[in-house]
Amino acid sequence: MTIDPRDAIWNETHDLLYRASYAAELETALLARWVWLDSVTKIAVAIASGGAALAGLVFWKNSDYTFLWPMFTSASTLLAIISKQLAVADKLKIHTALATALSAMVIDIGSLIVRMKINADFPVADFEKKLLGFRSAYRVEVSQFPHDLLLTQALRISTQEAVNRTIDYQ
């Protein structure tokens, strides 16, 4: 029994769509986590900065809360140091670029699938070339994934579930 090359292209295109969708969702989720960490750090540093010393005076006036201000300023300083050492700004740039590129790739692969649905007798050579181009671009994008401290098994599972809900396999 011979396999129609169009079926192989369909299967590989759907597989690539799934992989690219998963990678895009994962990058978007990681970006959200890094943005949250960056925002919390910036807010804590702003509150604890010299310009916010007035807030510290409120704590000093009430002796029950005197211990809170040194703890808060120490924690915000520690957050700032950790943020600098983790290169949060660099991670934000990397994850933004990857999420954007992968999301665009998902749309492009989806467009290829639409073209195959519209023209069931699509030219195999042209669509094979397009598919291989997307696979090559996917390989390049995935190879740029940084090792990420915020990537957890729970995030992988929730991302997988989200992609499973959105991808249509028909």
Side-chain angles (χ1 to χ4, degrees):
M1 175 172 19
T2 60
I3 297 174
D4 185 356
R6 285 177 185 81
D7 290 339
I9 291 174
W10 268 104
N11 293 337
E12 291 300 319
T13 304
H14 278 281
D15 179 63
L16 185 59
L17 177 64
Y18 186 86
R19 291 174 187 272
S21 295
Y22 174 77
E25 284 289 324
L26 197 59
E27 280 300 320
T28 301
L30 285 169
L31 177 60
R33 286 183 172 194
W34 283 107
V35 165
W36 182 85
L37 178 65
D38 188 49
S39 298
V40 167
T41 302
K42 287 179 178 175
I43 290 168
V45 169
I47 291 171
S49 69
L54 185 58
L57 290 174
V58 172
F59 287 114
W60 286 112
K61 282 188 172 188
N62 187 338
S63 61
D64 294 337
Y65 301 113
T66 305
F67 70 96
L68 287 178
W69 187 247
M71 284 178 50
F72 179 74
T73 56
S74 298
S76 66
T77 302
L78 183 61
L79 266 175
I81 292 168
I82 290 171
S83 177
K84 183 71 172 170
Q85 290 303 312
L86 291 178
V88 173
D90 293 338
K91 293 223 182 345
L92 287 172
K93 288 178 191 172
I94 291 167
H95 288 299
T96 299
L98 287 171
T100 302
L102 287 164
S103 294
M105 184 181 299
V106 167
I107 292 169
D108 291 342
I109 295 169
S111 296
L112 181 65
I113 289 172
V114 168
R115 289 178 56 207
M116 290 190 296
K117 285 180 181 179
I118 291 171
N119 181 7
D121 295 325
F122 59 85
V124 172
D126 292 344
F127 281 70
E128 176 188 15
K129 184 177 178 181
K130 276 291 227 188
L131 173 62
L132 293 176
F134 287 136
R135 286 180 60 96
S136 178
Y138 173 76
R139 180 186 47 81
V140 168
E141 294 301 330
V142 169
S143 72
Q144 296 178 33
F145 277 26
H147 172 73
D148 203 302
L149 167 69
L150 299 181
L151 180 57
T152 62
Q153 187 64 23
L155 182 63
R156 288 179 189 270
I157 291 169
S158 65
T159 300
Q160 186 89 47
E161 290 169 352
V163 172
N164 289 344
R165 283 190 304 272
T166 59
I167 294 289
D168 180 14
Y169 287 104
Q170 297 175 355

